Amino acid sequence: MRVLVIGAGVGGLAIANGLLGKGHHVQIFEHADALRTTGAGITVWSNGTAALRGLGVDIEPAGHRLHSLRSVTESGRLLWEADLGEVTERLGSPTVQIPRRELIAEMAAALPPGVLHFGRRCVGVTEHPDHVVVEFADGSSATGDLLIGADGQRSVVRREVLGGEPARPTGWASWQGLTRSDLPLAHGHQTLNIAGRYAHCGLIPTGGGLLHWWFDMLWKDGDPVLSVAELRRIFRGWPDPVEALLASVTDDDLGFFPHIRHKVPQVWGGPRSTLLGDAVHAMPPAVAQAANQTLEDAWLLTQFLSVVDRDPAELLRAYEQERRPRALKVSRTAALTSAQRSTPLQRLAKFPRWLATRSQVASLRSGSDVLRLARPSVQAA
């Protein structure tokens, strides 16, 4: 089939790799003039690495494997620590941290020439019984058998096909960066999460001395976007190495994004279209699953479109019906986790390591189609 993909982000590149591997003719149309390499790091959990492997993409050589996940309070009290090595053994696929730009580059490099088209902003979609037409801002158009909207939280495809309300803000925002660091944490394999009363912080080694760091705080439209100097004041006295990190970065290192959440619809497209990723289920980063759920979408949609003797509309609706329960579950968990971040920390009990590890395994399994339906094999560390 001729498949048109709108958006050359994580989802668009992932589904293109999957469908090309199944013999489909795929064209990706991106509104920007080049691949978008902004953003910091992405934690690709066991479900995400399994999905990528199923799509024919191996990011482990370019990524950094994580061995443990540790959470403490702003006073330094240990809440829990999960053994990600054991999670890998139980689920059959590792957790890898990778710069977003590297993930994009790895997936783009796997595509044959002529698949990517830049400077093509989608402005209209017209579906017919046996084909779909996409119109672009430059006056050109493209015709295909199927259309996949992978164009993010402000998806034009979603607006054109489904209408409805845009994603809503959650009342939180992140200040984050990806910087080279001499801090010991940057050269290890342990993620550190720090939970405060009104703020959260995370530090994740990303390989090669790079450290992905983020600060989450309550924020609503109209509130100021804080500077590094203001972050230093707010997070003074937090556990090591927060103050040392903030002393080493500048405003030029600082990225900012408000958290949002989409209502996940029952149906994700029309007779010749569907959606994946943030276009259909944008969610706050509280459980670090947004990119992983996008990869899950791409993997499952590839499986359904491997069937060649069924009506395309039936395949698209079957994909959505199969995928929606787990995408919705993860979206709700992310929203609930974000909302509960103001829970007084004295109510949070310490979890033993075995229970934290088991909880991590259960959480990843419950929100994953690829771990439920596939049997990925563990690669050597």
Side-chain angles (χ1 to χ4, degrees):
M1 287 189 289
R2 299 168 300 165
V3 182
L4 311 178
V5 178
I6 306 300
V10 171
L13 295 172
I15 190 62
N17 274 283
L19 293 182
L20 284 166
K22 299 297 183 180
H24 295 290
H25 178 75
V26 182
Q27 299 289 299
I28 305 176
F29 300 94
E30 165 60 40
H31 73 85
D33 293 327
L35 289 172
R36 290 170 287 124
T37 56
T38 55
I42 292 179
T43 304
V44 187
W45 299 97
S46 295
N47 59 320
T49 52
L52 279 169
R53 195 173 300 146
L55 293 166
V57 179
D58 180 14
I59 64 166
E60 288 197 63
H64 185 70
R65 189 179 286 210
L66 298 177
H67 294 167
S68 71
L69 180 62
R70 184 178 178 87
S71 181
V72 303
T73 69
E74 62 184 296
S75 66
R77 178 171 65 88
L78 177 66
L79 291 173
W80 50 266
E81 183 174 353
D83 183 346
L84 295 181
E86 183 176 340
V87 172
T88 295
E89 291 180 8
R90 288 176 175 268
L91 297 181
S93 200
T95 298
V96 174
Q97 183 73 10
I98 188 170
R100 182 186 180 278
R101 61 178 179 266
E102 294 292 338
L103 177 58
I104 292 292
E106 287 289 317
M107 291 194 291
L111 300 175
V115 171
L116 280 163
H117 305 275
F118 296 106
R120 305 289 290 278
R121 181 166 62 88
C122 173
V123 295
V125 175
T126 305
E127 293 186 81
H128 301 273
D130 61 349
H131 69 281
V132 60
V133 178
V134 177
E135 299 172 356
F136 301 102
D138 61 5
S140 64
S141 64
T143 301
D145 298 307
L146 294 179
L147 169 65
I148 300 172
D151 48 342
Q153 65 187 55
R154 299 180 182 87
S155 172
V156 174
V157 177
R158 177 175 176 138
R159 184 194 69 204
E160 290 289 303
V161 174
L162 299 181
E165 298 180 354
R168 294 175 175 268
T170 68
W172 285 77
S174 291
W175 286 256
Q176 68 168 6
L178 178 66
T179 54
R180 201 163 299 281
S181 175
D182 293 328
L183 294 170
L185 184 68
H187 300 271
H189 298 268
Q190 181 182 76
T191 290
L192 176 63
N193 291 332
I194 306 174
R197 178 66 175 89
Y198 296 107
H200 283 237
C201 168
L203 302 102
I204 312 176
T206 311
L210 289 173
L211 186 64
H212 175 200
W213 44 269
W214 48 264
F215 298 88
D216 286 357
M217 284 177 283
L218 293 164
W219 187 89
K220 63 180 184 298
D221 191 30
D223 286 352
V225 176
L226 303 177
S227 66
V228 169
E230 290 166 315
L231 293 177
R232 289 170 184 156
R233 175 181 56 80
I234 293 169
F235 291 92
R236 184 177 297 122
W238 276 50
D240 291 337
V242 172
E243 290 189 89
L245 167 70
L246 287 172
S248 70
V249 301
T250 70
D251 287 336
D252 290 338
D253 301 315
L254 197 59
F256 169 78
F257 68 93
H259 299 177
I260 59 164
R261 185 190 179 203
H262 257 142
K263 179 180 179 180
V264 183
Q266 291 285 345
V267 177
W268 297 1
R272 291 277 164 173
S273 65
T274 191
L275 305 170
L276 59 76
D278 283 353
V280 65
H281 49 60
M283 64 187 73
V287 293
Q289 269 289 316
N292 293 272
Q293 291 300 304
T294 297
L295 296 172
E296 290 256 4
D297 294 345
W299 179 84
L300 190 64
L301 182 54
T302 296
Q303 309 312 305
F304 274 94
L305 293 182
S306 300
V307 181
V308 295
D309 58 350
R310 286 181 61 185
D311 178 69
E314 292 181 4
L315 294 175
L316 296 180
R317 299 295 84 81
Y319 147 71
E320 295 162 7
Q321 185 178 14
E322 186 77 31
R323 184 74 192 100
R324 185 178 184 272
R326 274 152 292 282
L328 181 60
K329 177 183 176 64
V330 175
S331 175
R332 286 174 171 169
T333 300
L336 182 61
T337 301
S338 182
Q340 290 179 337
R341 284 181 163 186
S342 296
T343 300
L345 292 178
Q346 59 266 29
R347 297 180 185 176
L348 299 179
K350 178 181 175 181
F351 278 53
R353 186 182 179 92
W354 68 267
L355 181 57
T357 301
R358 183 175 296 179
S359 296
Q360 187 69 24
V361 170
S363 176
L364 290 172
R365 275 183 176 154
S366 68
S368 174
D369 284 295
V370 65
L371 295 177
R372 180 174 63 92
L373 299 172
R375 294 180 179 275
S377 59
V378 183
Q379 295 187 0

